[in-house]
Amino acid sequence: MMNTLTKELQFTVRGDERGSLVALESLCEQVPFEIKRVYYIFGTDPEAVRGKHAHHKLKQVLVCVSGACDIRMDDGKERKTVRLDHPAKGLYIEGLIYHEMLNFSRDCVLLVLADAPYYEKDYIRDYNKYLEIVKEKANERTN
Ligand code: TYD
């Protein structure tokens, strides 16, 4: 999980004749942390681009429980966009990944599970500062 830009997740769907159910718990295979916060984004303008930040530490699992949106990720070297378009499809994002959410469908409800409460100081919103921090971390690893 460390050196990859993203980890796409496929959740187990417990379906029967009544419909479908996905259950996610803290410290399960798909959510490798204690869930401390849940938030969801809905009613998003399809033209809007949200996110545009990385985190120092926060770990998150994202899932579109309704509709679809794109998650564009950047680790300072590589870029990748993943479309979340099914409630059984998730994305694990570790801290130092700069990410944006865009191309929201009108019915999109993007659910996010996080390993910590909201903490503004954990945000890195400036892209150039983000690149500096990534470089510093890489230097720490090689020295
Ligand atoms: P913002 O960081 O702009 O959302 P996004 O990263 O999706 O573009 O957050 C919008 C507002 O909501 C901002 O005032 C901070 C607040 N907020 C919380 O209070 N708690 C939270 O868990 C989150 C994610 C945001």
Side-chain angles (χ1 to χ4, degrees):
M1 212 179 280
M2 276 302 286
N3 295 314
T4 55
L5 187 51
T6 66
K7 189 173 186 230
E8 290 178 58
L9 307 170
Q10 197 63 45
F11 304 133
T12 302
V13 179
R14 296 167 205 283
D16 58 30
E17 65 286 353
R18 298 168 300 168
S20 306
L21 182 153
V22 170
L24 300 174
E25 295 188 10
S26 289
L27 303 171
C28 68
E29 192 193 333
Q30 314 280 19
V31 186
F33 52 76
E34 193 92 51
I35 300 164
K36 296 276 173 59
R37 175 166 51 117
V38 175
Y39 63 92
Y40 42 97
I41 293 169
F42 61 98
T44 311
D45 178 346
E47 303 293 316
V49 180
R50 301 199 63 120
K52 295 185 176 211
H53 61 250
H55 290 277
H56 288 282
K57 290 230 169 99
L58 191 70
K59 298 182 171 89
Q60 305 190 93
V61 168
L62 287 66
V63 50
C64 268
V65 292
S66 166
C69 72
D70 286 346
I71 313 295
R72 193 189 281 160
M73 285 151 296
D74 180 332
D75 65 1
K77 284 196 209 126
E78 269 183 86
R79 285 183 184 169
K80 188 177 176 190
T81 300
V82 171
R83 185 144 185 90
L84 293 178
D85 55 5
H86 192 278
K89 191 173 168 184
L91 192 61
Y92 177 82
I93 302 187
E94 281 186 308
L96 270 187
I97 300 287
Y98 193 90
H99 58 282
E100 299 175 338
M101 295 92 113
L102 66 163
N103 295 330
F104 287 84
S105 64
R106 290 257 174 221
D107 60 346
C108 179
V109 181
L110 177 64
L111 176 75
V112 184
L113 313 176
D115 77 335
Y118 180 71
Y119 182 48
E120 182 57 39
K121 285 189 181 151
D122 189 60
Y123 280 71
I124 308 161
R125 297 191 184 273
D126 182 274
Y127 186 69
N128 289 324
K129 187 176 170 211
Y130 165 72
L131 290 179
E132 276 171 31
I133 292 168
V134 169
K135 222 188 266 176
E136 275 168 29
K137 292 264 171 194
N139 287 342
E140 275 169 28
R141 273 198 295 274
T142 50
N143 291 339

